[in-house]
Amino acid sequence: MKNKKVAIIDSENKKIISAIKNTLKDNVDILNKNSDFTDYDIIVLTGYEKEFNADFEGKEVLNIHPSLLPSFMEEDAITKSYLSGIKVSGVTIHKVEKDNFYGKILAQYPVLIGLETHLEEFIDDLEKVGARLYPPVIEAIINDTVFDFQDLFKNPCNHANGGCSGNCSSCKH
């Protein structure tokens, strides 16, 4: 891994924070949104942080959003997408730019909403996808490579990152 300092902004999204921390090991610090980010190259947002203000110069600021942008850009996207009647939502990883919170989309992955899917199941599915999608996107930025969706399928179980469905044959879960 290249020598870039990464800061994760702490939030209630503990599963995603844990997945990133497990992937990046000691190459990441967990900070609050009012911290000094001067020494960091990459700032990773893990919650709804539209009011996040930092000196963006020379930094990559990333965010995870619980919908397939540009749909449901607003706060409470999960409930709004669930109640809208759509059958496919998902997770988006995007850049945050100084004058455009919803900057360039880096990766998206779908999450289906079945006819009998409960809101709690939908939220859990979004968290699992986010925990699996965010770490390799961050690694690609650190290593200055192009994110490849094949990276999501290298480890079919992915227990450490919350991506296992519990039905995998490669573990005893």
Side-chain angles (χ1 to χ4, degrees):
M1 229 174 260
K2 302 218 176 177
N3 200 11
K4 291 188 179 180
K5 286 190 72 175
V6 179
I8 301 174
I9 307 302
D10 199 8
S11 73
E12 294 177 11
N13 230 333
K14 300 303 182 198
K15 187 180 281 189
I16 290 173
I17 292 170
S18 177
I20 296 166
K21 184 85 172 139
N22 287 340
T23 299
L24 300 181
K25 308 289 185 225
D26 296 329
N27 297 326
V28 64
D29 294 320
I30 300 172
L31 306 172
N32 70 49
K33 67 181 179 180
N34 298 318
S35 298
D36 180 10
F37 299 101
T38 305
D39 295 333
Y40 293 91
D41 303 298
I42 300 171
I43 302 168
V44 178
L45 306 178
T46 58
Y48 188 77
E49 303 286 350
K50 196 158 185 170
E51 290 80 35
F52 175 73
N53 263 332
D55 182 6
F56 283 69
E57 192 169 330
K59 298 181 186 340
E60 295 275 354
V61 181
L62 311 176
N63 188 45
I64 185 167
H65 188 77
S67 77
L68 295 176
L69 292 175
S71 298
F72 304 103
M73 293 173 121
E74 62 274 354
E75 192 172 356
D76 201 17
I78 295 171
T79 303
K80 289 178 179 172
S81 61
Y82 178 80
L83 294 175
S84 74
I86 62 170
K87 297 302 169 207
V88 179
S89 185
V91 173
T92 301
I93 310 296
H94 65 91
K95 288 188 175 188
V96 176
E97 298 160 355
K98 187 172 182 113
D99 298 322
N100 181 13
F101 184 78
Y102 296 104
K104 181 180 178 184
I105 293 173
L106 302 173
Q108 293 183 306
Y109 201 85
V111 173
L112 302 179
I113 305 171
L115 292 174
E116 297 188 22
T117 301
H118 297 282
L119 178 60
E120 295 77 25
E121 294 170 305
F122 176 54
I123 291 169
D124 188 53
D125 290 345
L126 287 169
E127 287 178 350
K128 284 179 182 175
V129 167
R132 191 155 186 148
L133 182 62
Y134 216 171
V137 171
I138 296 167
E139 282 184 311
I141 290 170
I142 289 170
N143 295 318
D144 198 25
T145 59
V146 175
F147 169 72
D148 185 346
F149 275 98
Q150 295 297 324
D151 295 341
L152 292 176
F153 305 105
K154 286 181 182 172
N155 181 350
C157 170
N158 205 18
H159 265 76
N161 292 337
C164 180
S165 64
N167 298 321
C168 61
S169 61
S170 62
C171 69
K172 308 284 187 243
H173 189 65

